[in-house]
Amino acid sequence: MRRDLLTAARAIIVTTIVCGLIYPLVMTGIAQGIFPGKANGSLIKRNGVVVGSALIGQAFEAPVMKKGTAVLDKAGCSEWIVAKRYFQTRPSGTGAPYNDTGTLDNAESSTFSNLGPNSVLTVAIYKCNISAYLALEKPYDPGLTVAKIPVDAINSSASGIDPQISVANALIQAHRVASVRQLSLGTVDALVHKYTTGRSLGFLGEPGVDVLELNLALDRTTSRS
Amino acid sequence: MTFTGWLQIVVFCVLLIGLSIPLGSYLAKVYSDQRVFLTPLLGAPERFLYRLMGVDSRREQDWKQYAKSVIFFSLAGWLLLYLILRTQTIQPWNNYGGVSFHSAPWNVTFNTVSSFMTNTNWQYYGGETTMTYFSQMVGLTVQNFASAAVGIVVAIALIRGIANRTNKSLGNFYVDFVRTVLYVLLPISIVSALVLVSQGSIQNIAHYVNVHGISGLAQTIAMGPVASQEVIKELGTNGGGFFNVNSSHPFENPNGFTNFYEMFLVLIIPASLVWTYGKMAGSRRQALAIFATMFVMFIGGVTVAYAAEAHGSPAQHAAGLHTAVVANSTGGNMEGKEQRLGIAGSALFDVVTTVTSCGAVNSSIESYTGLGGAIPFANLSASEVIFGGVGTGLYSMLEYVILAVFIGGLMVGRTPEWLGKKIEAREVKLVALGILITPLTALFATALATASAAGRASIASVAGAGPQGFSETFYAYLSQANNNGSAFAGYTGYDGTFGNLAGAHGITFADLLGAFDMLFARYAPILFALAVGGALAGKRVSPAGLGTMRTDNTTFVVLLIGVIVLVGALTFFPALLLGPIVQALTGHLYH
């Protein structure tokens, strides 16, 4: 009995040293040696300052906040301050309207929105997201209707920090970005396609537009407006 | 649904079948003490580890001694992990999130420790807001290896019992354990971690990064030794994410390829073990029958989940959204799904991780449509025998095989025989208990949680409207009993805030009920499986006669599927009706 217990204790300690210290630390060392950029988060610098990660979604809009909670309009939807010269990422479960914090794309506390498929509340949030999307994009793309909005623009992502949007979503937003930046639609569309990552090996996953990298490219193209 | 979506699914299945056969043979050699290509490299370290642990590698164990080693080893692991998770304030690599992380409260820790030790990896906490790098590596990663290895070796011990014709030995637990870690889990993990990092998974011990966003908004990005934990989380069918959002986080799962690779890691050992069983029990056709059974049920789940998610949800349609495939967008229910992974990549991942006891998620199961969400339910209701967790899936399936043999024997009026060994009252009793214990635990806990105010306190006030609240609760205890760990994440056992955890408290009822749910439904079946192995070991083998029911043909596959579905349906149908089925059939919206 005592011998069995002793063996068990020695076994778990040895396992801990091998699998919990040697393995992860050696892997960290090797990864830092071979892929330092990727192992440290694919960070992007501009003028020597870290402006984001190529893999982590970044917010280009924020809810209007008052006393720590999001301000709601008459329809019960959040009001937004939007940087119109930028492409916008997907709705993020880390902030309004899913909870009271103002931080969208919060990469130190990722979370799902956990919206149920049969919930009245889910419909209400979709309607808020739809009206916000239409208010933002329709002035620049008059033909836009609810039916034409791609689902990824209204449905929140899983991680809350999805770095990508669908190409359809980007091509709608391109009207606004082109107009605000006084660029031709063709120029912006070309950039959208340039910063679209296709399916891995041609068939795994789905294509998506890398929003932060696209926005950085736009900033390089035009002076800030 | 799209062509590329299906192509992804088909290629996955082909690769799984193709690569599981050689790995299955490799595993059979590892557990038969034969030379493999890694022996020259690992032989010396293996002997060194036995010396460090004080293990006599030649000592054989019968089922009781084997079970005793499993229990003692698990107990030691539980205590060490609890100690590590409750002493975060004095650990190195703390304060990397900008503040010094306190330990989670005792009740949440009790749940977490039981969860990781039982290969469940149910998480009431969010990784990047609760755990230090030290806890993640030295605590949680270790149990990812250990719990996976324990599952595998129990299956191997049962196979030995089935195959052993001369004595009562099932092998030696510590030898099997060390060989599993050294020859199987570590080599695959090392290679796979580098594959993931090459795609963008992070692997560092660095402070969280403060970012000056280009529109002026600040952002902080959590860091950590992610890839090394990510791969064993998948390979060992553990499923506990480094980050709160698990494999939907871009640092855990950066693109379509990593998504595919991770799914493959999840299924490869459970699939290979079926062939290992064939090798060690001396009949490839027996293995083929079991593999076919698992595969048919797996494909059925994938098809339904993909179709349901591609169709979209009632909420989307009520809001006026169009969910059909259009140019440059896949449509479908993208709520709680990532753009790069898409509908097919999410639905397949969902099925892969719920047929196994992995429980990793790359999309929010709470946001799946009623029918899409019913598939994880169905997979759990089948008690994780469709490939199942590493080891656990196979030993549970072998119990179902014995049950099917028994029922088949009753039908034709013969003494049931399996692989030449008589199936007698003792085996059938043990098998019946082994099969029923998990569903009973799950249903009992669900009933307790829905009937009491303390249990209902865990239901999300926001998402849990109508039957969804019941679905959340039921799924929580079903998932924990099956040691899966995926969640309808609205159900909570922890009110935590970031970092210093000021004012954070666990919900004791949900934490403890869940923990006992996991512990009981893990160790009782292990003991039954080992006892079945012990009962079969040393039994005389009689030659097959005219009256022997064959267990390696299509008829038996159909019978086996029938038994699995029947047991699952009879046990769970009433409960399933109250939640996911209502939602799938009515499409109603609830306040």
Side-chain angles (χ1 to χ4, degrees):
Chain A
M1 182 83 179
R2 236 177 88 191
R3 223 190 113 201
D4 289 330
L5 280 172
L6 199 67
T7 310
R10 283 166 73 169
I12 191 65
I13 288 167
V14 170
T15 310
T16 299
I17 292 167
V18 173
C19 300
L21 279 168
I22 299 176
Y23 160 69
L25 292 180
V26 167
M27 292 320 295
T28 306
I30 299 174
Q32 291 289 333
I34 310 180
F35 309 107
K38 285 176 167 154
N40 289 316
S42 307
L43 300 175
I44 303 175
K45 282 188 178 177
R46 187 167 71 177
N47 306 327
V49 178
V50 177
V51 291
S53 159
L55 290 175
I56 302 291
Q58 186 172 113
F60 304 97
E61 61 178 345
V64 181
M65 301 290 284
K66 200 173 176 185
K67 289 180 187 164
T69 50
V71 175
L72 303 182
D73 64 13
K74 269 178 267 167
C77 301
S78 303
E79 294 182 47
W80 297 92
I81 307 164
V82 183
K84 286 192 178 179
R85 63 187 185 280
Y86 288 124
F87 282 87
Q88 302 295 321
T89 43
R90 296 180 59 192
S92 158
T94 70
Y98 307 95
N99 59 54
D100 268 346
T101 73
T103 320
L104 302 179
D105 293 281
N106 182 350
E108 63 179 330
S109 182
S110 61
T111 184
F112 305 118
S113 67
N114 285 325
L115 290 184
N118 295 55
S119 163
V120 170
L121 181 95
T122 307
V123 181
I125 286 180
Y126 288 170
K127 286 190 170 159
C128 285
N129 289 353
I130 289 169
S131 63
Y133 194 80
L134 286 175
L136 187 61
E137 311 299 348
K138 202 172 163 88
Y140 306 93
D141 184 4
L144 189 64
T145 60
V146 181
K148 286 184 185 166
I149 303 177
V151 281
D152 68 286
I154 305 304
N155 295 167
S156 64
S157 61
S159 61
I161 44 174
D162 194 338
Q164 293 184 327
I165 55 178
S166 71
V167 178
N169 184 355
L171 292 177
I172 291 169
Q173 296 192 36
H175 292 95
R176 165 174 52 82
V177 174
S179 171
V180 172
R181 290 183 182 256
Q182 294 171 331
L183 291 166
S184 76
L185 187 58
T187 312
V188 178
D189 282 356
L191 279 175
V192 166
H193 291 298
K194 188 179 172 192
Y195 288 95
T196 299
T197 302
R199 299 182 175 93
S200 305
L201 306 176
F203 72 105
L204 300 175
E206 297 296 339
V209 180
D210 301 301
V211 180
L212 177 61
E213 292 183 89
L214 172 60
N215 284 337
L216 283 165
L218 282 165
D219 278 356
R220 287 195 296 273
T221 312
T222 54
S223 57
R224 301 179 70 148
S225 48
Chain B
M1 292 187 279
T2 59
F3 172 74
T4 43
W6 276 112
L7 183 65
Q8 181 171 193
I9 293 167
V10 170
V11 170
F12 180 80
C13 295
V14 170
L15 277 177
L16 182 70
I17 296 170
L19 289 176
S20 63
I21 296 174
L23 184 62
S25 307
Y26 172 81
L27 292 174
K29 281 187 187 154
V30 167
Y31 297 112
S32 310
D33 211 9
Q34 294 174 29
R35 271 184 84 81
V36 292
F37 74 101
L38 285 171
T39 310
L41 188 67
L42 296 175
E46 184 190 344
R47 287 187 293 277
F48 181 61
L49 287 184
Y50 294 145
R51 257 222 320 278
L52 285 179
M53 295 179 179
V55 169
D56 176 4
S57 62
R58 285 156 308 174
R59 192 169 149 251
E60 304 265 300
Q61 295 176 313
D62 65 15
W63 82 266
K64 282 182 185 157
Q65 291 162 331
Y66 205 99
K68 203 158 92 178
S69 295
V70 170
I71 299 294
F72 283 168
F73 178 75
S74 300
L75 186 67
W78 196 100
L79 291 171
L80 181 64
L81 184 57
Y82 190 86
L83 187 73
I84 289 172
L85 296 189
R86 291 285 289 157
T87 52
Q88 291 212 125
T89 43
I90 56 167
Q91 287 172 6
W93 306 311
N94 200 339
N95 84 1
Y96 276 34
V99 288
S100 186
F101 281 11
H102 280 244
S103 305
W106 72 272
N107 39 19
V108 176
T109 307
F110 192 96
N111 185 283
T112 306
V113 172
S114 309
S115 165
F116 275 74
M117 190 191 64
T118 55
N119 200 254
T120 312
N121 304 54
W122 177 272
Q123 294 169 296
Y124 273 137
Y125 64 92
E128 72 269 43
T129 53
T130 315
M131 294 294 171
T132 64
Y133 295 164
F134 187 88
S135 289
Q136 298 264 29
M137 289 195 303
V138 184
L140 302 179
T141 303
V142 172
Q143 279 303 329
N144 276 333
F145 278 97
S147 65
V150 166
I152 294 173
V153 304
V154 170
I156 295 296
L158 175 59
I159 295 174
R160 288 209 188 97
I162 293 164
N164 195 335
R165 299 170 180 191
T166 49
N167 61 39
K168 287 289 186 187
S169 165
L170 297 186
N172 180 304
F173 167 74
Y174 288 106
V175 171
D176 290 341
F177 177 83
V178 167
R179 293 182 71 88
T180 305
V181 171
L182 220 49
Y183 287 84
V184 185
L185 300 180
L186 267 178
I188 301 180
S189 295
I190 288 168
V191 174
S192 301
L194 289 178
V195 170
L196 286 197
V197 175
S198 78
Q199 299 297 308
S201 259
I202 59 173
Q203 181 70 29
N204 61 50
I205 298 178
H207 287 268
Y208 289 14
V209 174
N210 290 315
V211 168
H212 301 272
I214 57 173
S215 66
L217 295 168
Q219 187 182 34
T220 302
I221 301 178
M223 291 283 140
V226 174
S228 57
Q229 189 169 335
E230 180 71 14
V231 291
I232 187 61
K233 162 190 127 187
E234 315 290 6
L235 183 65
T237 63
N238 293 285
F242 192 95
F243 296 108
N244 186 38
V245 291
N246 214 298
S247 291
S248 68
H249 197 293
F251 283 160
E252 289 198 17
N253 195 357
N255 58 40
F257 171 73
T258 56
N259 193 51
F260 190 83
Y261 191 85
E262 287 177 15
M263 290 189 286
F264 196 76
L265 284 181
V266 172
L267 266 188
I268 188 65
I269 291 182
S272 302
L273 278 172
V274 179
W275 306 118
T276 307
Y277 156 72
K279 280 253 167 189
M280 293 176 75
S283 168
R284 190 166 189 163
R285 285 182 59 96
Q286 300 283 345
L288 189 61
I290 290 180
F291 198 94
T293 305
M294 292 172 163
F295 193 76
V296 167
M297 299 182 79
F298 172 67
I299 283 298
V302 172
T303 309
V304 175
Y306 184 26
E309 293 312 299
H311 179 257
S313 75
Q316 286 178 307
H317 298 142
L321 289 170
H322 279 213
T323 53
V325 182
V326 293
N328 295 320
S329 164
T330 55
N333 178 21
M334 279 299 281
E335 180 64 42
K337 294 190 182 63
E338 295 283 285
Q339 176 61 35
R340 65 191 179 284
L341 310 176
I343 302 283
S346 299
L348 181 60
F349 195 101
D350 175 53
V351 178
V352 164
T353 56
T354 51
V355 293
T356 61
S357 75
C358 182
V361 293
N362 74 351
S363 45
S364 164
I365 301 187
E366 177 104 33
S367 300
Y368 269 56
T369 60
L371 188 57
I375 294 303
F377 267 112
N379 290 336
L380 293 176
S381 302
S383 296
E384 306 284 34
V385 294
I386 310 167
F387 294 111
V390 286
T392 60
L394 184 64
Y395 68 66
S396 308
M397 182 54 116
L398 290 175
E399 291 180 345
Y400 268 105
V401 169
I402 295 175
L403 186 67
V405 166
F406 173 66
I407 291 174
L410 288 181
M411 285 172 168
V412 296
R414 299 254 172 188
T415 321
E417 272 175 23
W418 181 44
L419 301 170
K421 292 188 175 182
K422 275 199 172 58
I423 304 296
E424 291 166 296
R426 179 175 163 80
E427 287 87 52
V428 174
K429 276 183 204 158
L430 288 170
V431 161
L433 286 170
I435 287 175
L436 285 178
I437 209 114
T438 304
L440 282 180
T441 314
L443 288 175
F444 177 75
T446 307
L448 210 57
T450 34
S452 63
R456 289 195 297 272
S458 291
I459 296 174
S461 53
V462 181
Q468 187 83 358
F470 178 76
S471 293
E472 273 180 9
T473 311
F474 183 28
Y475 197 88
Y477 294 102
L478 189 60
S479 169
Q480 292 182 81
N482 278 292
N483 297 145
N484 181 283
S486 65
F488 278 44
Y491 196 83
T492 179
Y494 186 25
D495 283 333
T497 48
F498 176 75
N500 65 10
L501 305 179
H505 62 275
I507 299 171
T508 306
F509 181 88
D511 292 337
L512 294 193
L513 185 62
F516 289 119
D517 196 25
M518 292 186 273
L519 290 170
F520 191 63
R522 163 88 165 176
Y523 288 97
I526 282 185
L527 293 181
F528 285 119
L530 289 174
V532 172
L536 288 172
K539 268 201 183 188
R540 272 216 329 255
V541 172
S542 46
L546 273 178
T548 310
M549 191 178 73
R550 296 192 54 170
T551 52
D552 57 358
N553 56 14
T554 319
T555 315
F556 186 74
V557 170
V558 174
L559 177 66
L560 185 54
I561 293 178
V563 168
I564 294 167
V565 171
L566 215 63
V567 171
L570 288 177
T571 322
F572 288 114
F573 208 69
L576 289 172
L577 269 178
L578 298 174
I581 295 179
V582 166
Q583 285 171 286
L585 288 183
T586 63
H588 252 304
L589 297 171
Y590 296 90
H591 282 281

